[in-house]
Structures are given as structure tokens and as C-alpha cells.
């Protein structure tokens, strides 16, 4: 590869762009010598004296476009990186299209990068496979389409494990997409260990008992988390705003018109790293606290530098003490970056509050926290409430209720609910599909186990939130909400999530702690060890040693609610565990509801 000091061009396809943008920003690319980055499909002008780095999927169309670039002599030299293993026919196609024209000598290197997945968080990944739930659950889909989806997922999971350098024990429930994927991945890992000369796994020659466990689960195991109205910062942003690959789009009002602003959440964002999984009232308090701290630090620097405002750097008095000036100038970049981060989160929080008020998300969250205690009158009142203006919110509430109650709802009562939903303008196709899911598998049995509380009670924060509305109103008085921020926050400050483990988390706990209490899941799940032969695998006793590391993968789509719940479980252990959460795609509730509607229409 060209050195970091050498200027170069980066060319990617749509998938490569998503992979790169999830972990790198423009400044990061520039620090590594990338001055220009462009999409492969776009028309590009020749830059003949610089090397080009390609990062693309191994497809026939991409091979064709790269061959055209070579023929047109767009760049000086070519370093081609494929996101996953390039099949031999495509490699032959690349050779056949470049050797006759004499351009193959310009290709310096070809790499299989095993990077056909995206990372939006340090312990979270996605295969970026859109509409995966529909692809795997559509009864009208041909068997070949389902097999293609499973093959794609197996290839990407192999890449994840190769990147981590581990070969895990694999566990999965019997039947369904999870078992299909587990068997496919087990075979691929075993073949690589047994037959590959270029071993990608650092631990493959040892039988280290500290190997991680990979638990593959089906989305149909529990639909509630991906439909629920959450109250934590990250999940709320994903629900209310347009958030994808750590880019957040916020609707703001400027000069009487609506304007969209885009914000990138960077790895070094101190506020996001600290508060992403915090309840929203706590986030609001943290914004106020950080702003107060920033003002104090800025005042100290201003006093040392002799200016009234940090924006007035040009007015620095260089006749004053050099030591003070050096201290002030050194502190300026950090303070400026901190202010930009806090301004961004203030704008995001303001947008969230507007969304909460418009959609009454605080009331919906409170109802869902005690969904099994809701009466028929409560549910109908919420569905018929004209102040709850978004039909999708009402459908989500009812689906969660329908999936959570243990008893079957009488037909006449169900008709009453459905009539109310239709009157409220709800699309009924999601309910039709979920009816079939519930009839096939009563997945709420696990969800009805007694909830165990952890950590602090809501009263802990209640006493600390006293005047926060007034404080924040001072900071955002010009933001368009006025006193609404204070009034709204005071109305929702009691609504803090109960610390409970989701069904998925309880499954992971039973597998990571096989000697613990409920081991029914641990015994019932299939067990694969890719390091041993298939014959030995059947006879080999299962490990009873607790796992310190787990990789959880959900076939059919994941969400931030489960990701945060798993992290909370891992962090509260005496010896902290590491859990990496992945899925075929990261879904917000609106997207998942649309996929349920697609399946409901196909029934």
C-alpha cells in the first residue's frame, strides 16, 4: 500500500462507503494521506500521478468499472481491496479484462479484507443487510433466496470473527434461520481451520477454555424490544430522528423555516460515550452540568488571556505574561471542541423534546413499562386519544400489549381493538402478521418472569432534577420551545426505565453462566465447536466453564435497546464480561413496522 505520507485517492462503492463512514471521518482520511474520496459509480476525472485505493464489494459490476478505470488511465497505480473474499470466477474476470489491454501491470496488489460489516459502536456491528427480516420470513420467498441470505450472513460473520481473531463455541436454538446460519458458519470455520494454509485466526491452534461463545438468535424470539418506545438517549434518537451509521439528522427552525442539520457522532465524543445509554432526564441534567462546567473553564481561560470572550482571540494582549498566554492558547482547542460537542447535543436534545411533546412519547413509554397491567379501557383510551397523532405509535403500543399478555384476547374484544386502530388510521398489515407469529409460538412466556431490579430507584434522580427545566430553558430559550422544555421535562421526570433484563439477556446469562440457576436454555440450545471434527463434536462433552466473552448475533435485525441491556448486564458483573452485539441490520421501530406490514400483506 502507498505510505501515509503519499497523497492518494480513495474509491469505494455504496457498501464500502458505509463501512468506512461508520468508523472514519474526513479528517481521519486526510491524516492518512487521502485527499480525494469518490464513489466508483460516479464519473471521475483522471488524476494520473497519484495512486488509487479501491474498497468495494466483489461483484461483476465493480470489476467492470475498475477495468474501465484502468483502460482510461485514471490513476498512476491501483490497490484493490475487496470487502470480502473474491470468488475465483470474478478474479478470472478481472484478469481477462485487464491482461489483453496491458493494464494489469498497474494493479499493485489485490486484497481480501474480510470487512463486509459495519461498526457503529465499539461493541456493536451490523451486516447492513436491509429488509433482512422480510427476506428470511416471507412465506412466498423461494428457498434459493433464503439460502442466499443465510450465505451472505455466514460470510459476514466469518469476517467479523476473522477480524476479532477468534473461533468461538457456537450456540443457537433449534430450527429456523438461526440454526441454518449456525451450521453454515460452523462448516465454514471448520473448513478454514482444517484446510487453509493462510490461517486468519490467532487462537486456532489452541483449545483455550477462555474462547468466547457466539450465540445466534432469531428475531422472532422477541419482537417487543424492536417495537418499544425507549427512554434512553441513543435509542430515543434512533426512534425519533433520522439516524444511520452514527449520522443524525435534526430538524430545526431557522428564520421561520424548517432546516435539516446533520451531525456526526465521533468515537471521541465524550458526552455520547458517557450518556448514550442513560435515561433522557439524566441526559438533560448532564447537558446542563457540562455547560456550567464549560462556562467556568472558559471564564478562567478568558481571564488568563485578557479577552472578554473566547471568540475574541484576535484581541489577545501579547504584552501580558507569556506563561499565561501559552496556557490559554493550549486550552483553546479543547474548549472549542467541547463547546461544539455540547452545542450539537443541545440541538439534538431540543429536537428530541419536540418529538416527545408532539407524539406524547413519555406517556407511551410509561404505559409500556407496565404493559401487562394495562386494562382494556387504558389501551382503547390511548388508541382513541387525538393528542397521540402518529398512528404507528398506537400500533406499536397495541402490538406490544398483544405480545405481552398471556391470555388469549376474546374475539369480540379483539374486534373492538381492531376497529379502534382502523379508526385511528393505523395500517393493519403488521397486526395480521404478528397474529400468525403469536399463534405459532407463544414467545411471551419468558418475558413474563418476575422482573429483577438493579441499581438505583427512580427516586434517586427525582431529587436531583428539581430545577433542571429552568436551567436548560436559559440555554435554549432561542431554540423555539420556550417554556415547553421546562414544562415537558417536569412532566416526564418520574419516568425512568426499570432496570430489568430482557428475554435475550436472560438467555445470554444462562449460556455464559452454565452453572447458574435456569439452565433449560443452555441444555436446549444446539452446540457447535468448529475446532473439532464433526464426528468428535457429537461425542465431545460441552464446556461447563463460565464464559467471560460473548458475541450475540440476531438474524432478522437488532436494535439499541437490546444492545444497551446486554451491556448493562455485562458491566454489573463482579468480574465484568464483554458482550459484542451484532445483527443483520440495525432497525428502528418504524422500519421494523414497515417490514411487518410487508409480510402481513403477503399473507
Amino acid at each position: 500500500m502507498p505510505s501515509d505520507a503519499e497523497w492518494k485517492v480513495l474509491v469505494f462503492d455504496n457498501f464500502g462507503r458505509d463501512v468506512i463512514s461508520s468508523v472514519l471521518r474526513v479528517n481521519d482520511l486526510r491524516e492518512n494521506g487521502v485527499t480525494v474520496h469518490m464513489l466508483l459509480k460516479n464519473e471521475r476525472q483522471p488524476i494520473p500521478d497519484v495512486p488509487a485505493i479501491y474498497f468495494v464489494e466483489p461483484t461483476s459490476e465493480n470489476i467492470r468499472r475498475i477495468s474501465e478505470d484502468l483502460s482510461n488511465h485514471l490513476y498512476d497505480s491501483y490497490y484493490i481491496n475487496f470487502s470480502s473474499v473474491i470468488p475465483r470466477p470474478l478474479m478470472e474476470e478481472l484478469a481477462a479484462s485487464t491482461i489483453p489491454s496491458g493494464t494489469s501491470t498497474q494493479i499493485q496488489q489485490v486484497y481480501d479484507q474480510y470487512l463486509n460489516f459495519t461498526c457503529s459502536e465499539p461493541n456493536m456491528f451490523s451486516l447492513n443487510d436491509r429488509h433482512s427480516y422480510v427476506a428470511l420470513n416471507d412465506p412466498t420467498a423461494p428457498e434459493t433466496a433464503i439460502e442466499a441470505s443465510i450465505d451472505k450472513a455466514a460470510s459476514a460473520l466469518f469476517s467479523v470473527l476473522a477480524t476479532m481473531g477468534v473461533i468461538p463455541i457456537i450456540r443457537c436454538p433449534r430450527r429456523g434461520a438461526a440454526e441454518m446460519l449456525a451450521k453454515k458458519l460452523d462448516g465454514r470455520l471448520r473448513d478454514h481451520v482444517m484446510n487453509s494454509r493462510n490461517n486468519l485466526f490467532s487462537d486456532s491452534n489452541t483449545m483455550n477454555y477462555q474462547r468466547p461463545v457466539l450465540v445466534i438468535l432469531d428475531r422472532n424470539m422477541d419482537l417487543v424490544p424492536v417495537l418499544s418506545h425507549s427512554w434512553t438517549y441513543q435509542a430515543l434518537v434512533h426512534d425519533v430522528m433520522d439516524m444511520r451509521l452514527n449520522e443524525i439528522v435534526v430538524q430545526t427552525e431557522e428564520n421561520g423555516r424548517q432546516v435539516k442539520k446533520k451531525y456526526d457522532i465521533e468515537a471521541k465524543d465524550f458526552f455520547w460515550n458517557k450518556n448514550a445509554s442513560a435515561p433522557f432526564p439524566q441526559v438533560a441534567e448532564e447537558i446542563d452540568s457540562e455547560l456550567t462546567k464549560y462556562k467556568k473553564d472558559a471564564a478562567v481561560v478568558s481571564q488568563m488571556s485578557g479577552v472578554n470572550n473566547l471568540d475574541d482571540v484576535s484581541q489577545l494582549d501579547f504584552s501580558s505574561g507569556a506563561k499565561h498566554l501559552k496556557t490559554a492558547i493550549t486550552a483553546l482547542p479543547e474548549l472549542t471542541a467541547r463547546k461544539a460537542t455540547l452545542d450539537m447535543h443541545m440541538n439534538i436534545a431540543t429536537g428530541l423534546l419536540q418529538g416527545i411533546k408532539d407524539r406524547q412519547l413519555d406517556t407511551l413509554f410509561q404505559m409500556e413499562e407496565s404493559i401487562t397491567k394495562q386494562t382494556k379501557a387504558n389501551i382503547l383510551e390511548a388508541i382513541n386519544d387525538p393528542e397521540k397523532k402518529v398512528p404507528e405509535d398506537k400500533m406499536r403500543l397495541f402490538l406490544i400489549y398483544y405480545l405481552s399478555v398471556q391470555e388469549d384476547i376474546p374475539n369480540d374484544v379483539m374486534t373492538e381493538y381492531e376497529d379502534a386502530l382502523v379508526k385511528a388510521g393505523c395500517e393493519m398489515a403488521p397486526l395480521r402478521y404478528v397474529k400468525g407469529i403469536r399463534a405459532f409460538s407463544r414467545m411471551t412466556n419468558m418475558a413474563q418472569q418476575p422482573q429483577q431490579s438493579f441499581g438505583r430507584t427512580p427516586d434517586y434522580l427525582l431529587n436531583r432534577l428539581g430545577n433542571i427545566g429552568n436551567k436548560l430553558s436559559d440555554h435554549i430559550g432561542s431554540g423555539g420551545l420556550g417554556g415547553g422544555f421546562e414544562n415537558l421535562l417536569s412532566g416526564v421526570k418520574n419516568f425512568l426505565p426499570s432496570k430489568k433484563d430482557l428475554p435475550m439477556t436472560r438467555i445470554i446469562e444462562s449460556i455464559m453462566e452454565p452453572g447458574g440457576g435456569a439452565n433449560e436454555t443452555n441444555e436446549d440450545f444446539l452446540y457447535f465447536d468448529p475446532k473439532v471434527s464433526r464426528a468428535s463434536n457429537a461425542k465431545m462433552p460441552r464446556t461447563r466453564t463460565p464464559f467471560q466473552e460473548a458475541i450475540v448475533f440476531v438474524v432478522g435485525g437488532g436494535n439499541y435497546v437490546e444492545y444497551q441491556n446486554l451491556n448493562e448486564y455485562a458491566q454489573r458483573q463482579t468480574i465484568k464480561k464483554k458482550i459484542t452485539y451484532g445483527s443483520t441490520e440495525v432497525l428502528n421501530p418504524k422500519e421494523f413496522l414497515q417490514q411487518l406490514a410487508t409480510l402481513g400483506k403477503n399473507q
Side-chain angles (χ1 to χ4, degrees), residues 190-207:
R190 181 177 284 107
D191 290 345
H192 180 83
V193 171
M194 301 296 180
N195 305 318
S196 179
R197 287 177 296 178
N198 299 317
N199 195 350
L200 297 168
F201 300 93
S202 57
D203 72 340
S204 61
N205 293 322
T206 67
M207 295 297 287

Side-chain angles (χ1 to χ4, degrees), residues 37-77:
H37 51 91
M38 297 171 286
L39 277 170
L40 177 65
K41 66 180 181 181
N42 291 349
E43 291 298 323
R44 286 162 283 122
Q45 297 299 315
I47 312 178
D49 56 344
V50 299
I53 300 172
Y54 285 75
F55 182 56
V56 297
E57 288 187 287
T59 66
S60 185
E61 173 61 20
N62 286 343
I63 295 294
R64 185 185 66 80
R65 294 301 298 257
I66 293 172
S67 299
E68 288 180 1
D69 290 354
L70 284 157
S71 298
N72 294 330
H73 304 288
L74 291 189
Y75 311 113
D76 177 59
S77 54

